[in-house]
Amino acid sequence: MNASSLSYKETKVLELLNKNKADGFIFISTYNRFWITGVNTTFGYVIVTKNNTYYLIDARDYECCKSQLKSIKCVLYEKPGDLNKLIKQLNIKTLMFEKDYISYIDFNNVLKPLKVKLIATDTMILRAQKTDEEIALIRKSMKIAVKAINFIKKNIKPGMTELSVKQMLTIKMIAEGATATSFDLIVAFGENTANPHHQSTNRILKKGEFITCDIGCVYKGYCSDITRTFWLGNPSNKMLEMYNLVLEANKKGIAAAKAGILGSKLDSVCRDCISTNKKYADLFCHGTGHGVGIEIHELPNVKQTYNKPILNNSIITIEPGIYEPGFGGVRIEDSILVTEKGAEILTAKAGK
């Protein structure tokens, strides 16, 4: 992680400390430890104070962290009680923690024994606005996913199974530099496309039916997400009607995306578009989108219940859909960078 990203993230945490009159913030979750340090480790505690950031880490990752983290103080964790010892050394009386990630076991076995005042807070919002470094990594992750989508469009053939196409997509993304898929990829054919979270099977592809590929990968710790629905051969008039309506909703959502718009309002842009055809008004059964970053689902959300603004430099998906049981479904998903000027489509090179 570069110095600019670290400074920005520490400043975000310090704002929380000052607002809550707290002495320190402890990060236990894998995701937030990676966010604040840029290093993936098996175990550890990151403690941010008003003066410094400390990484209490065991011998498995200590030397690696020490060599990489020049602006973070690495402390060797050797035995139970070392966390309590460090908290006392830092004179922390009030400690904030990530209530959206802490398990009941960690709260009782790790936090309560510290015998300090504990303040729970939602931390995912800290990651909503991406730094320039994060945006560059996510942009690369998206490019890999786009290459995989375009590869499949050129190479998919009747007779292939959903599972075989899923395997091809995974192999392609790994070959292009990804370290993993960012979720269990969705590949669906025909009537199976009516299930938004279909589990791929040995269903064989035929000409003239819907194909939905919802894919993403992880590149240097950051995720991508894209969905395309297409077909081989000639689609029916109904297929075209559904597809064109979803495509219109997708385009309108992207056009309306701008820093400051409420997530619920942006959702309504896509939902209202699909509702113009009463046949499909009740067949859009999920939110329009979600944030993407270290996790595949982050803040901000784009759904009816998220009455908060989409923040500048956040990365979200716009993924309207129509799903008719027994017939099939269409989802068209793009990931976009939201700015004060509007949206940049990070998945634009995967044709629609």
Side-chain angles (χ1 to χ4, degrees), residues 6 31 34 44 59 116 135 152 160-161 181 214 222 224 244 246 299 301 304 313-314 319 325 335 340 348:
L6 177 60
Y31 296 117
F34 174 73
V116 296
I135 291 169
I152 283 298
M160 289 182 174
T161 67
T181 60
D214 185 347
Y222 285 87
S224 54
N244 288 331
V246 173
L299 294 180
N301 284 315
Q304 287 295 291
N313 283 346
S314 58
E319 48 179 305
S335 290
E340 293 175 349

Side-chain angles (χ1 to χ4, degrees), residues 43 91 114 130 143 173-174 183 219 246 250 291 299 325 329:
F43 162 89
N91 197 31
L114 298 177
K130 273 48 180 186
K143 285 182 179 179
M173 288 190 288
I174 297 297
F183 56 92
Y219 175 77
V246 173
N250 168 271
L299 294 180

Side-chain angles (χ1 to χ4, degrees), residues 17 20-28 46-49 83 87 90 92-98 110-112 114-121:
L17 293 180
N20 290 274
K21 298 180 180 179
D23 304 309
F25 201 121
I26 186 168
F27 293 105
I28 297 177
V46 177
I47 301 167
V48 181
T49 70
L83 175 59
I87 293 294
L90 298 176
I92 292 174
K93 306 296 184 183
T94 302
L95 183 65
M96 299 187 72
F97 71 94
E98 44 196 338
V110 177
L111 295 177
K112 283 182 72 174
L114 298 177
K115 296 181 179 179
V116 296
K117 180 182 177 182
L118 296 170
I119 300 177
T121 189

